[in-house]
């Protein structure tokens, strides 16, 4: 059922290969100037948070979108570049507002019926480790909602594959 929603082509391989090569170059370059080994973790986190949710949205809803025609002479590479650009845009449009909402609710808290704030969290706690879990939960939430809506639309349309 889920694999019927995702059809991978050459442009997907080119996009992820290009992202992988760029990441390797960045790992090598930043490892030379960094004394800590957190460069790999940060780049993997960046790919998961800033590319993956948007890529799922693009694959489900905008797979045939074309925003540039003449970047290169190869139309497959053009489509891979388009997918990467739109994936980044979709990730920014979904992840950043939800993370802002999380931070606002955790910092300011939610008022109960008496008007007292409950659930406030100190900034130090957020930045000491829970922020990464919150970002991962946000990614899972965005991907889950995108897939859930697509399955719902397919079932409502009477598609027997979904």
């Amino acid at each position: 059922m889920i694999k019927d929603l995702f059809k991978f082509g050459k442009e997907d391989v080119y996009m992820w290969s290009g992202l992988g090569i760029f990441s390797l170059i960045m790992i090598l370059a930043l490892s030379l100037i960094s004394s800590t080994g957190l460069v790999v973790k940060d780049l993997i986190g960046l790919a998961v948070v800033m590319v993956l949710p948007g890529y799922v949205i693009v694959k489900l809803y905008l797979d045939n979108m074309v925003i540039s025609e003449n970047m290169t002479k190869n139309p497959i590479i053009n489509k891979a570049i388009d997918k990467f650009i739109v994936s980044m845009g979709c990730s920014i449009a979904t992840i950043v507002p939800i993370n802002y909402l999380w931070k606002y609710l955790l910092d300011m808290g939610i008022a109960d019926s008496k008007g007292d704030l409950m659930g406030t969290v100190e900034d130090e706690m957020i930045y000491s480790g829970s922020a990464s879990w919150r970002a991962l939960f946000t990614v899972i939430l965005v991907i889950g909602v995108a897939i859930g809506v697509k399955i719902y639309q397919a079932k409502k349309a009477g598609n027997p594959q979904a």
Side-chain angles (χ1 to χ4, degrees):
M1 172 169 64
I2 297 287
K3 79 175 180 183
D4 294 331
L5 295 175
F6 296 98
K7 307 261 189 269
F8 295 100
K10 244 183 180 178
E11 65 274 359
D12 298 308
V13 173
Y14 283 166
M15 186 192 101
W16 285 106
S17 298
L19 186 63
I21 291 169
F22 176 75
S23 296
L24 285 175
I25 292 169
M26 290 301 293
I27 288 170
L28 291 174
L30 293 176
S31 294
L32 294 174
I33 61 172
S34 174
S35 61
T36 63
L38 297 177
V39 174
V40 176
K41 180 184 149 243
D42 290 342
L43 283 174
I44 291 172
L46 183 68
V48 167
V49 172
M50 294 310 294
V51 178
L52 190 61
Y55 179 74
V56 170
I57 293 169
V58 167
K59 283 305 288 180
L60 291 174
Y61 301 101
L62 307 169
D63 201 25
N64 296 321
M65 182 179 206
V66 176
I67 58 173
S68 63
E69 294 177 3
N70 297 324
M71 273 192 190
T72 66
K73 294 187 189 317
N74 190 341
I76 296 173
I77 293 176
N78 288 342
K79 194 165 182 179
I81 293 169
D82 290 347
K83 280 188 180 185
F84 179 72
I85 292 169
V86 176
S87 294
M88 288 286 289
C90 288
S91 288
I92 290 169
T94 56
I95 298 296
V96 171
I98 294 172
N99 273 339
Y100 178 78
L101 184 63
W102 284 125
K103 179 161 176 31
Y104 177 79
L105 290 176
L106 289 174
D107 282 351
M108 301 311 232
I110 302 169
D112 62 3
S113 60
K114 296 181 229 172
D116 296 328
L117 291 178
M118 55 185 210
T120 58
V121 177
E122 303 266 338
D123 276 342
E124 291 82 28
M125 276 181 62
I126 290 173
Y127 296 125
S128 65
S130 66
S132 62
W133 292 108
R134 190 175 69 240
L136 185 61
F137 176 71
T138 305
V139 168
I140 292 169
L141 178 73
V142 168
I143 291 172
V145 167
I147 292 173
V149 168
K150 188 65 172 186
I151 290 172
Y152 173 76
Q153 287 175 343
K155 286 189 181 207
K156 189 173 180 181
N159 188 353
Q161 293 177 343

